[in-house]
Every structure is written in C-alpha cells, then in structure tokens.
Amino acid sequence: MGHTLFEKIWETHAAAQTAGGSTLIAIDRVFLHERTGAAALKRMAEMGRAVLDPARVFAVMDHIVDTRPGRGDSTLMQGGEGFITETRAACKAAGITLFDVNDRDQGIVHVISPEQGIVLPGVTLVAPDSHTCTQGAFGALAWGIGSSEAEHAMVTGTLRLEKPKTMRVTFDGKLQSGVTAKDMILTLIAAHGAGGGAGHVVEFAGEAVRAMDMEARMTLCNMATEFSAMTGLIAPDAKTYEYLAGRTYAPPHFDDPYWSTLKSDEDAAFDQEIVIDAGAIAPMVSWGTSPEHTIPVDGTVPNGPARAHEYTGLVAGVALAGTPIDVAFIGSCTNSRISDLRRAARLLNGRTIAPSIKKAMVVPGSLSVKRQAEAEGLDKVFIAAGFEWRMSGCSLCFFAGGEGFPEGSRTISSTNRNFEGRQGPGIKTHIASPETVAASALAGAIADPRDYMRQEEAAA
Amino acid sequence: MSAFPQPLTGIAAPLDSGALRDNVDTDAIIPSREMRSTGRTGLADGLFAPWRYSDADARAENPDFVLNQPKFRGASILLSGANFGCGSSREHAVWALAEYGIKVVIAESFAPIFYGNCIRNFILPITLDRSALEGLSGHEITVDLAAQSLTCGDATYPFDIDAEAKQMLAEGLDAIDLTLTQAQAITNWTASDKAARPWVYLEHST
C-alpha cells in the first residue's frame, strides 16, 4: 500500500513518540504576527523560556496595522500601538526576523511567507493564525495553532500531535470562464458543511487544481480552515518550484531527492474521497453567517438557520443577485495577490462603481504586490473606478475596533468569513471572488461577474 | 495552571435556548475588538460580547442571552451544536471562557484549533450526539473525567478523550515541560535531519 503526500511529510518529521501515544512532530518554520504572536513571546519571556532556533522563526506586523498611507506605529484601533511595539521588542530580544510595519517586504503573513521563500515543499510550518493552511499550496504541511502551541513549537522545536485522518478532494475537468479557486472552495464547503473536513488533512487534486497557478492554489488551500480541516495541501509540481526559485529564504537548488517523493502514491488510500466536477461550478456568494451558507450567484436563498436569516435580512426563496450592497472590499489572505487584483481591475477598467456604494477599498496583500500593481497601473484603474487604494495588511477582513464600515452596511468582500459581526457589529458580509466583488460594486448590488465579461466579449 | 476539577457538577447552559446553535465561531466568543492587550487576562468581560450585551461599549446586558439569565449566570458548563469554536485560532476565546469560569464545553463537534487550545488551558471539550445534548439543556450534570462519563439525572453518557489529553487535564501538566523531558531525543533527531535536509536549517540574518 502506498502513502499519501501527508503521510510522507508526517513520517519525515516524526521525531519521537510520547509516553501517552502521540507523536512529536518536528516544526521547520514558525511565523508569528503582532495579534497573537506577541502573547506567545510575552509568556515565554515570563516563563524564562527561549526560542530554540530563532533563524527559523519569523514575524510580521499585519493584523492591526493601519492601511492608510503614511502609517506608523499608531493605529486607529485603540491600544493597537502596544501590540506593535511589544512585538517589535520581543522579536528583537528573541532574535527573530521581523517584517516591520513599513519594511518593503511587509504584508499579510500568508502572502509574504511564499514571497520570501519561507514556506517550501515538504516542510512543516505553523503560525498562531487559522489561515496558515494557505501555505499548503506549496506542498508543505502548514497549519494554524493557538498561542500556547506556538510557544511549544518555538521552545521545543516540535508539537505533540495525534495523527489526523486523510481526505482527498478531486476537482475533475476545467473551470468555466469567470469561475475561480474561491468558487471551488466555497462549493466544497457549501456541499459538505463548515465541519466537513474535521479531523482530516485535505489534499486537493485533479485536473482543475493542476491547471491552477500558485496564487489560485493558495486561495483554494486558504479556506481549508473554513472546512474545519487541520489543513489543506497540494502536491508540488514544476509551477511550485518555478514560483519559489530565487526567493530570499529558498534554497538555491531544489535538488534534494526528498522533493521528488512529495506526491501521493498511485495506490495510496485516503480515509475519505470527494470528487467535484469543476466544470459545473458557478461564481459563489454567501447569503448567511457561515461559509457553508453559500450558493451560486444566480441562485435563490435556501431555508437555513432562523438566526442566519434574521441577521442577514434575507428570507428563503429570494434571488441573491440584485441584493443592494453598501460596501465592496478586495483584500485578505484569501484574495489579495497580484492575480486577484489584475482580474478585478480588468472588470473595473473604464467603469465606475455605483453611486450608492458608501465605501470601496482595495488592500494589497503585501507591499510587494502593491508595487507590482502600481507598476502595471492597476492602482489608477481602481481609483478611477471609485475604490480606495491602501497599504498592505489584514485590514477590514475583521473589525478590530478601529477603522470600520458605515453602520449596518451590507458588504461584498473577497475575504473568508461571513460570521455575524466579523467585519463590525451588525455588518452583513457576503464573501465572494474578487471579480464578483468588482461586478457587484459596479452594479451596486450582488452581481454575476460573467455578465460583465460577456459585455466585454460582445464589445471586442 | 490548575488541573481539571473532578468530579465537576453544574448547570448546563445552552447557547440559544431551544435549538442549540451550530458553528459558534471564536469571533462571537471573543471579538477582535475585545482583545485589548498582549496578555491572557482581562478577557472574561468581553466573552460573547456581541450576544451578551445589547450595547457592548456600555456593557448593557441583553437579558435574553443565556449567561445573563439568573439560572445560568456564572455557569461552568456550556452546551452548543456542531463545529463549536470555528474560525480564528485566537486562544483568547479559550482564555475568556476559562476566566469567566467555564470548565466544560459540550458540543456535537469542535473545530480543531479550538479543541487543542481547550486542552492546553484545562477546559474539557466533550463531544456528544445531538439528541443527548438536547436532553442536558438546563439540567444539573456531573462530569467525571476519570471515568469519562457524564451524568444527568438517571442517564449516564460515556465520552471519548485521548489518553494523553486526559492525563494533562487531570494532572494539570504543562505540555512544554512534558516535551522537554524528551529534549535529548529531539536533539538527536535534529542532528540526523540536518544531515538529511540541510536546506531546512537557515543561517541567521538579522
């Protein structure tokens, strides 16, 4: 019987067994941010514990930094500055490499880790951040943990783990035009539930996954946590190594035979298999308060939990498209990379957003993405269309108490969570792809991006 | 840190009376705006802030919320539906529950990061099926970790917990201290891994 990709990485990192029957899994990389990492470093200092190998620990300011131009340590979030200055001091004391507020490589942790070549195929990487699964796109075992576990990883170089089960999700066939990785992962969660991946490591496979570039693969893996999986991952291929070649922390050559083993064997058995027809996937938009409350953009709101209908103000049976929106947000570790911005900008080019939109903003995932977008003139397209153009960070993917959306707003957002109050008290969030956000901003209501693409094709 | 008290008796407070709520996320347990310092304390006041208060800034209580009802105020046992603790990895959610006095969360299922955070902070997460859960709502129950059972009136429900997690809860063990007893094994493993995968190990650049 062959082995799955996950099992190979697991076996490579099994440093020891514990008396209680769990495994000490060696951790190759730890990434911290100022929101939860500071708490871990502070407690370690209190306990007199040191980082075992600081050269393999990184930190970034992304969660509560302002995204206004000219930003510094002070934040619109009250007390935010303390997180920033404490993180900076703690990283310095511990000898940890920090991507600081205005460092040219600053950005959202899961955007910059690949940009810097910190995540690599076949490594284990943890961060006290649930969306660490994003980095599984590189064939790494990368997953989110709590602050206590981050301390454990930094102090001991390991984590105590029970071996999870394995699941393979195969996307057969080709995606239709206007349909993206975001729509694929939302389709999976809508069909199998927000708890559907619980207890499993999910390998994404199939023709549609192989066809995707690295940025789309990151979007797909990003929401494995919204599926309650331990993480998601994709076997590395030529695209993976091409992406990483020459990055700051990547090795000069990918010639270790270990890398050629990083795929599930033909006869490997998974505990669970799901197959999805990629060609049948439509642009997806959430209607409720869990990512599982998601339907095709041209669908009607189903019967869901009463509280979800009450919160979003959408009753069963109504069409989702045409629902007026107040705010459009493009950003987050899900959809803030250059390809995301290019696709949204293509749709917005030469158009302006509906006058009823109260706020529209684009927050690039990193300062590197921002520079690239500006070199291509995308910033001008967004600004001309009516969007604000920001510095990089997590921004309003969640409301931290500082900058917010207008009270009671309904937002269309390229983020990953439509929880009650996630983007602010009473804010109703609809998650979707960047092109669906752009199309909806133009229409002033939830809209199908394919309609705008058809207009372009007709005009061409 | 204190070990899990055994046995523990208390009233089981249901999140949403009547129908147990699914997908309770960590943003609801402790919103980002309630995480005001890099410490682990001062969080109980913000626990369930979006539901617990009609005006969170003024701390004006919502009388309908379960933990504001006289019978459930200060409860140590919480009941919920499937996928409890989903969303953000913030351990603050567990720190807030612990500081409030919650010792046990019983749900149909848990999100994995939250489950791990519970064990590290000596909160016992118990998974039970829906029908059993609904029968516990509002009743006094006794949780016996050693026996891995939960008693409500005449009914007794066994529950599963991994042996190592059980021991850590029962004895109040610190995971880092426990792992450091195997430091030599880790050092030996690292030496051989450095030879096998030298590219993993970075030179310090700061």
Side-chain angles (χ1 to χ4, degrees):
Chain A
M1 174 87 74
H3 295 282
T4 66
L5 169 58
F6 158 73
E7 286 162 346
K8 292 177 187 184
I9 300 174
W10 176 274
E11 291 306 326
T12 300
H13 291 83
Q17 298 299 310
T18 70
S22 59
T23 305
L24 292 180
I25 292 293
I27 303 302
D28 296 329
R29 302 277 184 272
V30 179
F31 223 129
L32 307 174
H33 58 63
E34 83 281 25
R35 196 57 162 146
T36 56
L41 292 171
K42 184 175 185 171
R43 174 141 169 115
M44 279 169 60
E46 285 166 5
M47 301 289 284
R49 289 166 170 162
V51 180
L52 186 65
D53 186 358
R56 292 188 285 140
V57 181
F58 299 84
V60 65
M61 311 289 194
D62 63 357
H63 266 59
I64 54 174
V65 291
D66 275 2
T67 59
R68 296 173 301 173
R71 68 181 175 194
D73 289 356
S74 71
T75 61
L76 287 167
M77 173 199 157
Q78 208 179 355
E81 188 167 351
F83 286 85
I84 291 171
T85 55
E86 282 187 44
T87 299
R88 183 180 295 134
C91 286
K92 187 154 193 266
I96 293 168
T97 302
L98 170 68
F99 299 94
D100 212 333
V101 178
N102 285 318
D103 188 299
R104 65 178 275 109
D105 296 321
Q106 183 270 350
I108 303 172
V109 49
H110 314 304
V111 177
I112 69 167
S113 176
E115 282 179 356
Q116 296 301 316
I118 292 167
V119 65
L120 296 168
V123 301
T124 50
L125 182 153
V126 295
D129 187 282
S130 58
H131 289 108
T132 308
C133 50
T134 310
Q135 302 185 48
F138 291 85
L141 189 64
W143 73 102
I145 54 175
S147 295
S148 294
E149 289 291 79
E151 289 172 48
H152 192 289
M154 286 191 280
V155 173
T156 72
T158 67
L159 285 176
R160 308 174 75 89
L161 293 176
E162 288 285 303
K163 195 172 183 178
K165 293 179 183 163
T166 56
M167 180 190 295
R168 177 162 56 191
V169 176
T170 304
F171 288 94
D172 280 337
K174 292 184 174 64
L175 289 175
Q176 291 179 38
S177 171
V179 180
T180 69
K182 181 69 158 284
D183 306 305
M184 291 164 72
I185 189 68
L186 286 172
T187 296
L188 172 69
I189 296 167
H192 296 275
H200 291 77
V201 165
V202 177
E203 180 174 342
F204 295 107
E207 184 187 353
V209 174
R210 296 261 67 89
M212 293 159 87
D213 64 21
M214 291 313 298
E215 297 194 352
R217 291 180 189 181
M218 284 188 251
T219 299
L220 183 65
C221 289
N222 172 268
M223 291 183 68
T225 189
E226 273 66 50
F227 192 46
S228 256
M230 173 183 167
T231 188
L233 81 177
I234 296 172
D237 59 14
K239 290 178 191 174
T240 317
Y241 295 107
E242 265 167 44
Y243 178 100
L244 291 169
R247 306 269 176 185
T248 306
Y249 293 92
H253 308 289
F254 288 96
D255 51 5
D256 185 333
Y258 173 58
W259 282 306
S260 61
T261 68
L262 294 176
K263 54 179 185 262
S264 291
D265 296 329
E266 297 263 335
D267 57 345
F270 291 81
D271 295 302
Q272 207 179 329
E273 295 253 21
I274 292 173
V275 178
I276 292 173
D277 176 5
I281 297 174
M284 301 291 282
V285 181
S286 70
W287 67 265
T289 57
S290 160
E292 72 184 24
H293 301 152
T294 299
I295 57 172
V297 63
D298 51 5
T300 52
V301 174
N303 250 320
R307 174 70 191 169
H309 289 288
E310 187 188 327
Y311 185 81
T312 63
L314 296 176
V315 297
V318 303
L320 189 56
T323 305
I325 55 149
D326 309 298
V327 167
F329 181 88
I330 297 175
S332 87
C333 57
T334 317
N335 281 121
S336 64
R337 297 175 184 83
I338 190 68
S339 58
D340 296 313
L341 304 192
R342 283 177 188 146
R343 296 198 316 275
R346 193 175 310 149
L347 219 136
L348 293 168
N349 192 18
R351 297 185 170 111
T352 51
I353 60 174
S356 58
I357 301 288
K358 295 172 188 152
K359 193 176 180 77
M361 56 199 288
V362 182
V363 186
S366 70
L367 292 182
S368 167
V369 168
K370 180 171 183 280
R371 283 191 297 276
Q372 179 63 32
E374 288 169 354
E376 296 177 19
L378 305 185
D379 57 325
K380 293 190 176 64
V381 173
F382 285 118
I383 292 166
F387 277 80
E388 294 176 40
W389 178 247
R390 294 298 190 93
M391 301 287 280
S392 66
C394 300
S395 184
L396 274 160
C397 175
F398 55 88
F399 176 65
E403 183 175 18
F405 293 136
E407 200 179 335
S409 293
R410 185 183 295 280
T411 79
I412 184 99
S413 182
S414 76
T415 54
N416 41 53
R417 290 184 175 140
N418 55 331
F419 300 157
E420 269 186 34
R422 168 79 174 177
Q423 291 185 305
I427 303 292
K428 300 178 262 296
T429 302
H430 296 271
I431 50 176
S433 71
E435 36 273 84
T436 302
V437 173
S440 304
L442 293 172
I446 294 174
D448 190 334
R450 294 172 299 186
D451 292 343
Y452 287 88
M453 290 170 178
R454 278 192 282 266
Q455 283 177 26
E456 274 170 20
E457 281 163 24
Chain B
M1 243 351 145
S2 54
F4 182 79
Q6 21 184 351
L8 178 109
T9 298
I11 305 279
L15 281 172
D16 273 27
S17 309
L20 287 172
R21 202 170 166 131
D22 291 329
N23 299 318
V24 171
D25 60 79
T26 52
D27 275 81
I29 299 172
I30 186 92
S32 181
R33 62 187 175 280
E34 298 286 348
M35 293 156 51
R36 292 173 179 152
S37 87
T38 56
R40 299 171 166 228
T41 53
L43 294 159
D45 213 30
L47 179 70
F48 293 118
W51 301 336
R52 188 170 156 199
Y53 304 112
S54 53
D55 178 347
D57 292 334
R59 293 291 191 245
E61 286 190 359
N62 165 17
D64 296 334
F65 183 64
V66 60
L67 296 178
N68 291 335
Q69 295 166 19
K71 183 177 176 184
F72 297 115
R73 194 175 282 273
S76 58
I77 301 171
L78 209 54
L79 298 184
S80 193
N83 202 27
F84 188 84
C86 62
S88 163
S89 65
R90 60 186 70 161
E91 198 163 321
H92 306 69
V94 171
W95 297 333
L97 287 165
E99 192 176 282
Y100 180 87
I102 300 292
K103 307 278 188 210
V104 182
V105 182
I106 311 174
E108 201 176 349
S109 61
F110 291 89
I113 304 173
F114 179 87
Y115 189 95
N117 287 342
C118 280
I119 301 296
R120 291 289 175 262
N121 291 278
F122 310 106
I123 287 180
L124 172 60
I126 297 177
T127 305
L128 279 189
D129 66 38
R130 191 98 187 176
S131 58
L133 268 169
E134 281 168 358
L136 303 177
S137 188
H139 294 288
E140 184 176 270
I141 61 178
T142 297
V143 177
D144 187 336
L145 175 61
Q148 290 184 217
S149 72
L150 187 159
T151 311
C152 177
D154 297 336
T156 295
Y157 305 92
F159 62 84
D160 287 330
I161 182 166
D162 154 57
E164 188 168 288
K166 179 179 177 180
Q167 188 197 1
M168 295 183 90
L169 284 176
E171 298 177 21
L173 298 177
D174 180 274
I176 294 176
D177 285 343
L178 203 58
T179 299
L180 288 176
T181 64
Q182 292 181 267
Q184 191 56 51
I186 297 168
T187 303
N188 295 345
W189 181 90
T190 305
S192 67
D193 188 57
K194 265 184 187 165
R197 301 186 309 146
W199 48 272
V200 168
Y201 298 86
L202 299 168
E203 296 293 318
H204 213 290
S205 61
T206 52

